[in-house]
Amino acid sequence: MTLVVQSFAKRYGGLVAVDGVSLTLAPAEVTAIIGPNGAGKTTLINLMSGVILPDGGSMQLFGADVAGATPHVLAEHGLTRTYQSPQLFAEMSVLETVMVGAHLSGRAGFLSAMLRLGAIRREEDELEARARAALSRVGLPDDLLDRNTTDLAYGHQRRVEIARALATGPKVILLDEPAAGLNPKETHEIADLISDLAREGYAVGLVEHDMDMVMGISQHVVVMNFGRKIADGTVDEIQSDPAVIEAYLGTSEGEAAHACVA
Amino acid sequence: MMARSFLARRYRSDLMGVALLAVAVVIGGSTIVKSYHLTMLIYSGIYAIAALGMFVLFGIAGQISIGQAAFFGVGAYASALAATHAGIPPVLAVAGSTAMAAAFGWLVSRPLLRLTTNYLAMATLAFGVICFILFAQLRSLTGGIDPGIVATPGFSVAGFDLSSARAMFFVVGAALCGTILLVLNLVHSRVGRALRALKGSEVATAGLGIDVVRYKVAAFTLAAGLAGLAGALFAYFQSAFNASVFSVGLSIELLLMVIVGSVSSPWGALFGALFVTILPTFLEDFEQYKLLIYGVILTVVMIYMPDGFGSTVVQLGRRLTRRTATP
Amino acid sequence: MTQLLQTLLSGLTTGAIYGLIALGFTIVFNATKVTNFANGDFVMMGGVVCAGLVTLAHWPLLLAVPATIVGVTALGAALDVFGIQRARRKTVLSLAMITIGFSVLYRGLMQVLVGRDVMFAPSFGIIPDIRTAELYVGSQSLWILLALGLISGGLSYLFLKTRLGKAMRAASQSPRAAALCGIDPRLMSIASFAMAAAVGAIAGALIAPIGAAFYDYGLVFGLKGFAAAVLGGFGSPVGAVVGGLLLGLMESISAGYLASAYKDAVALAILLGLLLVWPSGLFGRVEARRV
């Protein structure tokens, strides 16, 4: 297994946001993490990506114990993510933004960069080629590469973020609500992109509210409610699971409200 | 391999800028007659070097420091003492002082950079005031406020006396060209992009495999080193100075230079340093109104042009040309 | 023993001033989440304007003090109306930079209006000195301690009992919810800056007879007040007062062991130490975050 999470726990004061959740991500599979609002999905993805520290539990990435590792160490191990609201860099062009994603494949340090020693030019060319490849992989039009990321349309921003994640050369990609704020056509395109990525061998973790999308592209679904995992299985198994139906029916209004905000 | 893109073009035009600056230094140094003008430009150049450090830290990496005067002071005192007491050759003294200021910066940056935004600003401010108190009180070393450092020997290279204003103009001009070249190289590199990224979003930057703390520390160290270099050149040019130079006022002026110029282009720091240095010459009785004017500039720019005055003007220009280019 | 007691008493006096400055930071931060770098300059202006009115314009103190409070309060409100509210970008850092700009501006303004001389204002009088065989507590010190008591009592009444105070607390806890309840966040913001300025002005007018008034004193006042606020736990009004008194005590005790020139450095070193090691302070909430 690529990524194995065992009984992760996170408490905020008296509130247990994530309560002993275990799950695995496998290569060439989309694993969706779903659940009603406030179920702890975002906390879980933040724990898995090292943004917050777990209070308990363990995580193995390709057999290495990485619970409590910082995000940059996880990225070096091949795990990267995108964010619910795109975390793009203000005042930076699309191409450069994705080149930051390719950072790990370069080696220039402060001094050699300032003195522009020997191999830097070639390295810059390589980083740029890598970034361009990632950008064309997600289908971003070429004429947008010199624009500031923050000037782009929302759908394009989402693609830039995925390209930036791909440029790190990951094996595991965690996507936090990649379809939030997209129109139906864009949602459809992102869904296609995600299932293509899984087909290419990436292990994809997907937190998403759009149930059509989740059921359409996931091989494996983990359902959370009140911080606990209540179900885990294939799409068919999940759709007929009484606990899941209960959880969703019980909060359908909350879901609808969330959908209108998103 | 694909043809290199707009990034290579931007880098080339920045290099052209450095070449133009070098030409301007040569022409200016050989044609400017009034020593007063030379002096003003030398001070602008010295402050520009420190402001470039501030640009790396604040403009690129988005980390604030209101204590840069401390590193400027370390550079100035180290080179003055090395020249007067140890008889170390000036070039070595300048290099050593730069390294010493950088090392000092590295040392304090590790704890300080655990803080962010307001707390970092307040902590660097407190650090700057503490250093100022030490500069003023360690009189056996610094001479304090009175008499201060009385006479630093003039600058020279390999026995050639370069202490005249004209010679110092070339020395400072060369140092400035070198510094801006280094900073431009940094901006157009993997490291510079990582710094700009962490200014935008630390979490996202770390998520791409970038050790955010290490990069922030390096930026702080570089900024301290450049402030030290500026301080060392200042000591050689000014020869006699006292601790009052290195008060919080200087730190705020350096911040002002970056803000007046641009938080996104190193050329802004040059413009800002020139502006802040020559501003007094346009006003009689400037000392009386200095703080009021600085305060108004800082406030107005920060309220209406948070990317810097220079940047805003350039952006406006770009928007206008784009509009006319695509009807 | 009496020596020590005397030291502690003088520590409490300066500590009371630090407490008042720390209250200014707290009021503004709680209402707006802005760290006001010009807060120390409110105190500076309180001293300079008051001393200027008395010594240069020959106003009676009874008129000069209220005039100072009104004037500085207006200048504080101006920082919010013309600075904070008009900011194009409202990030923590750019708002702080605006207050830094105003801090420089206030200093420049005082320099132009009142001058660059160190000034002394007359003591308030009325309250007699306390003088026993071993102890001496000056009248002005008693004024300062009295002011701290009245102001902190008044503020806690305001925040706990009055509509305005409750609205300010609500606005700080959830600006959106407060706005839905008809509380204008802009009004709360102006009120907080005006209150901090008024408190600062009183502190400044009180300390000027003992410590002198000078256009450049705001920086150190601000840093020490901030140190007091952090010591007490940033954002806690009780912490601000306790932190201020403690800082004053620590400063006066250490003064016995150090050359007086390093007195200011002590409080600043305490500030640095606190920020790095104990940022939550006495009454602060611990914020766990990871970078």
Side-chain angles (χ1 to χ4, degrees):
Chain A
M1 281 295 151
T2 307
L3 177 78
V4 181
V5 170
Q6 271 165 342
S7 37
F8 254 173
K10 182 69 191 177
R11 282 175 295 275
Y12 290 108
L15 180 83
V16 185
V18 169
D19 189 1
V21 173
S22 302
L23 64 103
T24 57
L25 263 56
E29 269 187 22
V30 175
T31 301
I33 301 164
I34 64 169
N37 238 353
K41 306 179 298 286
T42 297
T43 309
L44 181 64
I45 203 172
N46 282 341
L47 289 171
M48 288 164 71
S49 56
V51 174
I52 53 177
L53 283 171
D55 296 321
S58 69
M59 182 164 107
Q60 274 109 37
L61 192 54
F62 302 106
D65 185 18
V66 290
T70 54
H72 84 261
V73 172
L74 289 172
E76 284 167 9
H77 277 83
L79 179 148
T80 187
R81 67 170 288 187
T82 66
Y83 302 83
Q84 199 171 343
S85 57
Q87 296 283 307
L88 293 168
F89 312 129
E91 295 286 309
M92 210 190 245
S93 68
V94 169
L95 182 60
E96 287 170 291
T97 299
V98 180
M99 284 170 82
V100 178
H103 187 87
L104 281 175
S105 53
R107 16 183 23 92
F110 247 83
L111 275 182
S112 53
M114 281 200 292
L115 300 172
R116 218 162 176 88
L117 296 174
I120 295 262
R121 249 195 96 147
R122 191 151 26 98
E123 183 179 295
E124 283 287 295
D125 285 340
E126 282 164 17
L127 292 181
E128 190 178 323
R130 221 184 148 89
R132 283 178 183 275
L135 280 161
S136 67
R137 177 70 198 79
V138 300
L140 198 82
D142 252 359
D143 59 324
L144 295 179
L145 298 200
D146 64 344
R147 296 286 184 81
N148 272 353
T149 47
T150 36
D151 295 341
L152 296 188
Y154 208 60
H156 284 142
Q157 291 193 6
R158 290 254 175 237
R159 283 169 194 272
V160 171
E161 225 193 3
I162 295 176
R164 186 179 67 184
L166 289 176
T168 64
K171 299 194 177 66
V172 181
I173 307 178
L174 306 177
L175 303 169
D176 192 359
E177 298 199 28
L182 300 188
N183 65 35
K185 180 170 167 283
E186 290 170 327
T187 304
H188 195 73
E189 288 166 2
I190 285 278
D192 283 348
L193 175 62
I194 295 170
S195 53
D196 285 351
L197 291 176
R199 215 163 292 138
E200 285 163 31
Y202 292 102
V204 180
L206 172 69
V207 168
E208 186 49 65
H209 277 287
D210 186 320
M211 281 310 136
D212 288 342
M213 173 172 163
V214 167
M215 298 309 167
I217 63 175
S218 309
Q219 280 73 46
H220 178 188
V221 180
V222 172
V223 190
M224 291 180 70
N225 199 13
F226 298 116
R228 289 167 188 275
K229 184 169 86 171
I230 57 170
D232 189 338
T234 64
V235 170
D236 290 339
E237 287 163 6
I238 292 302
Q239 279 175 333
S240 55
D241 190 315
V244 177
I245 294 165
E246 164 82 9
Y248 269 89
L249 285 179
T251 56
S252 59
E253 275 169 48
E255 276 300 290
H258 181 87
C260 93
V261 172
Chain B
M1 172 111 304
M2 234 164 300
R4 298 203 72 204
S5 60
F6 65 97
L7 294 179
R9 214 163 53 232
R10 283 182 194 171
Y11 179 60
R12 260 203 309 278
S13 64
D14 273 339
L15 287 187
M16 281 298 291
V18 179
L20 283 177
L21 178 67
V23 171
V25 167
V26 172
I27 294 176
S30 34
T31 58
I32 294 174
V33 186
K34 278 194 175 168
S35 78
Y36 174 71
H37 292 154
L38 279 177
T39 306
M40 289 323 284
L41 288 172
I42 290 170
Y43 281 122
S44 304
I46 289 174
Y47 289 127
I49 291 172
L52 279 168
M54 192 70 202
F55 165 74
V56 171
L57 184 64
F58 181 66
I60 309 187
Q63 307 300 308
I64 193 169
S65 165
I66 322 179
Q68 291 306 98
F71 305 113
F72 195 96
V74 167
Y77 284 120
S79 55
L81 294 175
T84 0
H85 297 301
I88 295 172
V91 176
L92 269 184
V94 169
S97 319
T98 306
M100 193 184 258
F104 187 42
W106 179 79
L107 208 68
V108 297
S109 71
R110 301 207 66 98
L112 283 181
L113 287 171
R114 283 170 29 200
L115 306 169
T116 55
T117 56
N118 286 336
Y119 275 19
L120 180 63
M122 210 50 106
T124 51
L125 185 58
F127 164 78
V129 175
I130 291 176
C131 287
F132 171 67
I133 292 174
L134 291 177
F135 290 150
Q137 296 307 320
L138 298 174
R139 304 192 62 221
S140 57
L141 208 58
T142 66
I145 301 281
D146 184 33
I149 296 287
V150 186
T152 311
F155 196 77
S156 64
V157 176
F160 287 100
D161 176 38
L162 298 175
S163 60
S164 72
R166 195 168 301 279
M168 275 311 275
F169 181 86
F170 286 111
V171 170
V172 170
L176 179 62
C177 288
T179 304
I180 195 155
L181 181 63
L182 295 185
V183 170
L184 284 168
N185 281 344
L186 187 74
V187 170
H188 294 278
S189 78
R190 163 182 187 264
V191 178
R193 280 190 301 272
L195 290 174
R196 285 161 67 201
L198 80 85
K199 177 189 183 181
S201 165
E202 271 189 38
V203 175
T205 307
L208 300 170
I210 293 163
D211 186 345
V212 171
V213 177
R214 207 170 63 96
Y215 275 83
K216 283 202 272 187
V217 165
F220 199 94
T221 307
L222 179 62
L226 289 180
L229 171 61
L233 292 170
F234 175 85
Y236 274 105
F237 180 61
Q238 177 107 346
S239 178
F241 57 90
N242 68 33
S244 66
V245 176
F246 314 112
S247 71
V248 170
L250 175 60
S251 298
I252 296 212
E253 279 176 33
L254 290 174
L255 199 58
L256 186 65
M257 289 170 192
V258 173
I259 289 169
V260 165
S262 161
V263 296
S264 54
S265 163
W267 297 105
L270 261 64
F271 169 74
L274 189 66
F275 178 81
V276 172
T277 315
I278 65 170
L279 187 64
T281 63
F282 292 116
L283 274 168
E284 238 172 285
D285 212 12
F286 180 79
E287 225 15 66
Q288 174 76 12
Y289 296 99
K290 176 173 141 177
L291 286 175
L292 188 61
I293 293 168
Y294 284 179
V296 169
I297 295 174
L298 253 177
T299 322
V300 169
V301 173
M302 279 318 296
I303 294 171
Y304 297 104
M305 300 164 254
D307 290 326
F309 175 73
S311 276
T312 307
V313 171
V314 171
Q315 276 167 18
L316 265 178
R318 212 175 274 164
R319 205 164 295 165
L320 285 177
T321 51
R322 189 171 285 177
R323 200 163 292 165
T324 47
T326 52
Chain C
M1 190 61 213
T2 47
Q3 173 87 48
L4 179 68
L5 207 60
Q6 191 67 57
T7 309
L8 293 182
L9 275 168
S10 83
L12 280 182
T13 307
T14 42
I17 293 292
Y18 299 157
L20 288 174
I21 308 172
L23 275 174
F25 276 110
T26 309
I27 295 167
V28 167
F29 180 79
N30 282 352
T32 63
K33 300 288 173 258
V34 172
T35 304
N36 178 15
F37 281 74
N39 195 41
D41 294 286
F42 294 155
V43 184
M44 174 277 288
M45 291 194 287
V48 169
V49 171
C50 185
L53 285 176
V54 173
T55 57
L56 302 178
H58 306 292
W59 286 32
L61 192 66
L62 203 63
L63 215 60
V65 173
T68 301
I69 297 172
V70 171
V72 175
T73 303
L75 285 169
L79 163 52
D80 185 68
V81 175
F82 298 109
I84 301 297
Q85 311 241 348
R86 300 199 176 203
R88 289 283 161 87
R89 186 179 301 156
K90 304 212 175 201
T91 61
V92 175
L93 194 56
S94 35
L95 293 180
M97 296 286 296
I98 290 172
T99 68
I100 292 172
F102 266 89
S103 156
V104 177
L105 199 154
Y106 287 145
R107 260 176 261 173
L109 193 65
M110 288 302 116
Q111 194 183 336
V112 171
L113 290 180
V114 189
R116 307 181 67 177
D117 298 318
V118 177
M119 286 180 298
F120 290 88
S123 304
F124 284 25
I126 307 174
I127 303 179
D129 296 346
I130 295 178
R131 208 187 288 268
T132 69
E134 294 95 18
L135 276 180
Y136 168 75
V137 187
S139 152
Q140 195 68 18
S141 297
L142 293 170
W143 272 108
I144 290 173
L145 292 169
L146 179 70
L148 178 70
L150 288 178
I151 289 174
S152 46
L155 284 176
S156 43
Y157 176 80
L158 180 87
F159 281 112
L160 297 175
K161 302 282 180 202
T162 67
R163 257 182 75 89
L164 175 69
K166 285 177 186 168
M168 283 176 79
R169 283 197 303 154
S172 74
Q173 273 157 18
S174 173
R176 275 180 69 187
L180 287 176
C181 303
I183 297 170
D184 181 359
R186 283 183 311 173
L187 198 65
M188 298 305 116
S189 182
I190 299 176
S192 71
F193 274 93
M195 276 162 61
V199 172
I202 295 170
L206 283 165
I207 194 71
I210 301 179
F214 186 50
Y215 79 96
D216 211 16
Y217 279 178
L219 175 68
V220 171
F221 280 136
L223 279 167
K224 289 185 178 176
F226 187 78
V230 174
L231 178 59
F234 206 78
S236 155
V238 180
V241 174
V242 176
L245 293 173
L246 272 178
L247 187 73
L249 288 177
M250 286 194 269
E251 210 181 56
S252 67
I253 292 169
S254 69
Y257 304 94
L258 276 170
S260 65
Y262 291 107
K263 198 190 85 187
D264 289 342
V266 171
L268 301 184
I270 290 174
L271 170 60
L272 277 181
L274 282 170
L275 286 177
L276 298 176
V277 184
W278 196 32
S280 63
L282 283 170
F283 299 94
R285 275 157 295 176
V286 186
E287 274 178 51
R289 63 185 287 267
R290 173 156 181 186
V291 179

